[in-house]
Amino acid sequence: MIKETRLLMGMPISVAVEDGGATQDDLESVYAYFVLVDERFSTYQASSEISRINRGELAPEQYSEEMRTVLALSEQTKRDTHGYFDIVRDGRYDPSGIVKGWAVHNAAHLLEARGFRNFYVDAGGDVQVCGKKDGQLWRIGIRNPFNRKEHVKVLLLTDCGVATSGTAVRGQHIYDPHHPSVRLVDVVSITIIGPDVFEADRFATAAFAMGRKGIHFIEELPGFEGYMIDAQARATYTSGFERYVLRP
Amino acid sequence: MRKLAVSAVIIGVFAFYSLMHGRANPASPSAVLPRPTTGSSGTPTATDAGGATNPTATSSTATTGPAYKNGTYVGNVADAQWGYVQVKAVIQGGKIANVQWVQYPSDRQRSVEINSYADSQLTTEAIQAQSAQVDIVTGATDSSIAFMESLGNALSQAQA
């Protein structure tokens, strides 16, 4: 197994490949991709394309293909989530709620295209797992938001995506676009298992913005399961969630 | 290349941090806080000084990027406004092998709201710690400014 963690896009990004024959070069190609994504979409970099767009320096016809893709996916997600997912705030784009999952998804495709079948890519807790580790399902812990050294569930997963949205580290980084001034405090985190990390990430962001309604939204969403932790340290989970949980 | 990227991120975060918090928090958080009980802040603990690599996570020889010195480095305590955070970085084979929390606020917000899910398929339970080993952890993003500050401090100690 070859594994590495680097700090990019303001978070630790880990890549691990189980298949024999994986080299440093394979990892470099994945990290190079994340660097490109960051250079284009980081709202913290004044020279990024998204910052230039937000300053009004680029007309829509000058947007890159990647930018158009992300904006279209954001628009689609806004529709899919009754407006709870919205990258526009105060007249500016902040696509970070969709770019991370999208980038991890693309990074996983990059490894697949290089012939690998057993690996994971993890960007700050948004994870795509493919294949297995030593013939076993990948084990993914859901971190306890009240004690970060602990996990509260262990998931056994393959060929899918997991993402968590929450207040744990960043503070109030997600808001309800329908009530922008209301702080979301009751739900602390929501973890979503989806068909891939892009899907898991965008619905995790939206479900979190829905507050307590979020877990009901996931329950109604075919192909997704969710695990919500509230401020009273209680968890509420969807009807199909338990089949992914390691029995303690 | 990687060194540049990491430096850029850390410098950017510092700049942003100073802008946002410089005036609000003139005192250095580490100066007003007791030292944590685990680890010794600012002192590298050479747990892996021989350059041994973890057999379950063997990486190819580091040919690019910064050659961090092997060991465990505890970052400074950083103010995240809602509490103080501190991380440590474990360097193996010259690379970041792990980043762990040394200090993290554990304030449970109080709320009196009672909810019932009687009419749905959902189940509610009290959360419980699990001890099983895991390959990966999912949780809300580790990208706070305070997190990056403490980690940047730990990594600067690890610079060869």
Side-chain angles (χ1 to χ4, degrees):
Chain A
M1 170 152 151
I2 180 166
K3 182 186 168 193
E4 191 166 338
T5 300
R6 291 187 193 176
L7 295 178
L8 282 170
M9 298 164 71
M11 65 193 140
I13 298 184
S14 298
V15 183
V17 184
E18 275 284 297
D19 300 291
T23 64
Q24 188 65 28
D25 183 54
D26 296 311
L27 298 189
E28 295 295 341
S29 71
V30 172
Y31 284 113
Y33 173 70
F34 279 114
V35 168
L36 286 178
V37 168
D38 197 33
E39 285 169 356
R40 195 179 293 286
F41 292 100
S42 171
T43 54
Y44 294 99
Q45 295 186 27
S47 60
S48 70
E49 184 178 352
I50 196 73
S51 294
R52 296 187 63 200
I53 290 171
N54 280 332
R55 289 196 302 268
E57 293 171 12
L58 292 178
E61 57 271 18
Q62 294 174 289
Y63 295 1
S64 65
E65 200 181 317
E66 289 84 353
M67 185 61 66
R68 286 165 205 263
T69 302
V70 163
L71 294 180
L73 291 170
S74 302
E75 209 37 53
Q76 179 63 45
T77 302
K78 186 176 177 178
R79 284 194 295 273
D80 293 342
T81 61
H82 315 303
Y84 275 97
F85 183 98
D86 195 345
I87 65 165
V88 179
R89 193 178 186 188
D90 302 330
R92 295 166 68 85
Y93 289 122
D94 180 1
S96 53
I98 201 158
V99 162
K100 188 163 61 145
W102 175 76
V104 174
H105 187 54
N106 292 341
H109 278 312
L110 214 146
L111 288 171
E112 247 171 31
R114 287 182 169 236
F116 301 114
R117 295 294 173 262
N118 301 281
F119 59 84
Y120 75 77
V121 181
D122 167 12
D126 285 5
V127 186
Q128 176 74 37
V129 288
C130 293
K132 294 183 175 177
K133 180 192 181 184
D134 300 329
Q136 307 283 313
L137 296 167
W138 291 100
R139 287 179 168 215
I140 296 153
I142 297 179
R143 183 187 289 138
N144 182 352
F146 304 107
N147 181 347
R148 304 190 51 94
K149 294 169 194 169
E150 291 177 0
H151 37 261
V152 294
K153 283 285 179 221
V154 178
L155 307 175
L156 300 173
L157 299 174
T158 182
D159 298 326
C160 67
V162 189
T164 299
S165 245
T167 55
V169 176
R170 283 174 149 179
Q172 297 294 329
H173 76 294
I174 297 179
Y175 72 107
D176 173 354
H178 295 308
H179 305 94
S181 59
V182 177
R183 286 163 64 89
L184 294 166
V185 289
D186 193 30
V187 176
V188 173
S189 75
I190 186 161
T191 299
I192 305 296
I193 305 170
D196 62 55
V197 64
F198 167 71
E199 297 290 347
D201 181 39
R202 68 189 187 119
F203 283 113
T205 306
F208 187 79
M210 293 175 192
R212 289 204 158 261
K213 285 183 292 182
I215 193 73
H216 293 270
F217 176 79
I218 298 300
E219 174 70 16
E220 301 301 317
L221 203 60
F224 291 79
E225 301 297 340
Y227 187 84
M228 176 196 87
I229 301 174
D230 68 22
Q232 293 80 44
R234 291 174 312 201
T236 303
Y237 52 88
T238 54
S239 54
F241 178 80
E242 273 192 302
R243 69 177 183 272
Y244 296 113
V245 175
L246 172 71
R247 300 258 164 255
Chain B
M1 179 70 180
R2 180 174 61 166
K3 190 169 191 169
L4 272 177
V6 170
S7 311
V9 165
I10 290 169
I11 289 167
V13 161
F14 278 154
F16 183 72
Y17 185 85
S18 336
L19 263 176
M20 299 303 289
H21 302 274
R23 277 160 298 175
N25 300 300
S28 161
S30 54
V32 296
L33 273 184
R35 289 287 165 93
T37 49
T38 52
S40 51
S41 183
T43 312
T45 322
T47 53
D48 213 2
T53 48
N54 182 341
T56 59
T58 325
S59 298
S60 328
T61 314
T63 50
T64 55
Y68 293 128
K69 285 178 287 188
N70 288 345
T72 300
Y73 301 90
V74 180
N76 61 326
V77 177
D79 184 358
Q81 291 196 309
W82 40 276
Y84 292 98
V85 302
Q86 185 180 31
V87 299
K88 68 178 175 187
V90 180
I91 308 294
Q92 288 174 353
K95 296 177 179 181
I96 307 168
N98 201 357
V99 177
Q100 294 166 347
W101 291 93
V102 175
Q103 187 174 333
Y104 188 83
S106 58
D107 56 326
R108 297 187 187 196
Q109 286 139 345
R110 286 176 191 83
S111 166
V112 292
E113 190 186 343
I114 304 295
N115 277 272
S116 161
Y117 293 105
D119 60 347
S120 79
Q121 298 284 304
L122 303 177
T123 309
T124 295
E125 65 182 18
I127 60 170
Q128 260 188 311
Q130 303 289 310
S131 57
Q133 287 294 307
V134 299
D135 302 311
I136 315 159
V137 175
T138 183
T141 310
D142 283 338
S143 62
S144 76
I145 287 160
F147 169 83
M148 292 300 282
E149 187 205 332
S150 186
L151 183 55
N153 177 267
L155 291 179
S156 68
Q157 297 168 35
Q159 289 287 355

